[in-house]
Amino acid sequence: LKNVSKSYRLANGIEKKALNCVSLNFPDTGLVFVVGKSGSGKSTLLNIIGGLDKEDSGEVIVDGKSLKHFKNEDYDYYRNEYIGFVHQEANLIPDYNVYENIMIALKLKGMKISYEDCDKLLDYLSLNGLGNRNINELSGGEKMRVSIARALVKNPKILICDEPISALDVSIRAQIINLLNDLKNEFNLSIIFI
Ligand code: ADP
Ligand code: MG
């Protein structure tokens, strides 16, 4: 990121600066933690990196390519091909089972995954045998791992995690971080974690 700034205009017309000339370099692969207190602009930063929001000034450069002049369809492609998002809430579809929740991510890309390959991914995330399980029959940690699986199945280059563990029991937070740490090697990922 080069000198990225972003402000929001509040309903009362006042401008609120969320990012002020932020310049950062991220490695091609690795697990990077971004820390800062609530309201310091972390989610804004991740949304801009993930192509969900656009900076007011400065630029984001990914793989040597600037996002500055991206059109809508370029953003669609970028979000589909480059980015996996994991949020604080697992945001899974409750009426779908685990397989369906993972597979839908690929459907949006016009691609498919076999149940066999999906099982491999589930094994990798210690979700063995849970493919047919309903979402409401999973623990919080399992839901989060399904949400990570759904992000990974698209084979993104960048995995963006916006406070994925803050809603989880303290006892299982380390598990998720260790898992992500393993995933970065296995999937050649650049993970940005707040
Ligand atoms: P963090 O994720 O570090 O808690 P955010 O990036 O969500 O911080 O927010 C940064 C600042 O921008 C905060 O002061 C927040 O109130 C403000 N902000 C975030 N989103 C909006 C929005 N949509 N409209 C107005 N202000 C916003
Ligand atoms: Mg946030």
Side-chain angles (χ1 to χ4, degrees):
L1 289 93
K2 273 196 197 159
N3 299 323
V4 170
S5 295
K6 172 80 185 174
S7 297
Y8 295 104
R9 174 137 344 242
L10 305 178
N12 60 12
I14 292 174
E15 205 168 273
K16 164 82 203 166
K17 200 152 203 133
L19 297 175
N20 187 11
C21 257
V22 176
S23 295
L24 283 171
N25 264 314
F26 294 96
D28 287 343
T29 62
L31 174 57
V32 174
F33 293 87
V34 178
V35 293
K37 61 182 197 294
S38 177
S40 60
K42 303 183 299 298
S43 292
T44 303
L45 179 84
L46 295 192
N47 289 339
I48 288 174
I49 295 173
L52 296 177
D53 208 347
K54 193 159 175 62
E55 67 282 356
D56 298 331
S57 61
E59 65 181 324
V60 179
I61 299 165
V62 179
D63 270 358
K65 201 169 169 358
S66 172
L67 278 55
K68 207 173 178 63
H69 303 295
F70 266 21
K71 300 187 177 68
N72 281 343
E73 58 265 33
D74 299 321
Y75 270 113
D76 288 343
Y77 177 83
Y78 173 71
R79 282 190 295 261
N80 261 330
E81 297 298 321
Y82 276 77
I83 303 293
F85 244 107
V86 181
H87 291 101
Q88 179 171 345
E89 306 297 332
N91 289 329
L92 301 168
I93 303 171
D95 293 339
Y96 285 15
N97 66 26
V98 169
Y99 281 135
E100 291 164 335
N101 266 279
I102 293 172
M103 288 175 175
I104 196 166
L106 274 188
K107 233 187 205 160
L108 297 171
K109 263 180 93 169
M111 289 168 62
K112 270 188 174 169
I113 183 176
S114 64
Y115 282 98
E116 202 184 346
D117 285 342
C118 204
D119 280 334
K120 277 189 208 149
L121 183 61
L122 291 178
D123 285 353
Y124 202 84
L125 293 160
S126 308
L127 293 165
N128 322 39
L130 294 186
N132 286 308
R133 191 72 81 76
N134 281 337
I135 295 305
N136 59 11
E137 296 165 338
L138 298 177
S139 72
E142 286 166 346
K143 280 184 200 159
M144 185 48 68
R145 278 179 278 141
V146 173
S147 159
I148 294 171
R150 182 183 53 186
L152 285 177
V153 75
K154 294 194 323 178
N155 202 13
K157 293 180 195 288
I158 304 170
L159 184 68
I160 294 178
C161 305
D162 192 343
E163 303 200 49
I165 56 170
S166 47
L168 297 179
D169 271 9
V170 174
S171 58
I172 56 171
R173 289 180 182 180
Q175 278 177 28
I176 300 287
I177 293 182
N178 288 334
L179 172 68
L180 291 170
N181 196 37
D182 292 342
L183 291 175
K184 75 171 194 295
N185 303 322
E186 187 68 20
F187 290 81
N188 246 331
L189 279 170
S190 176
I191 306 180
I192 308 174
F193 185 107
I194 67 173

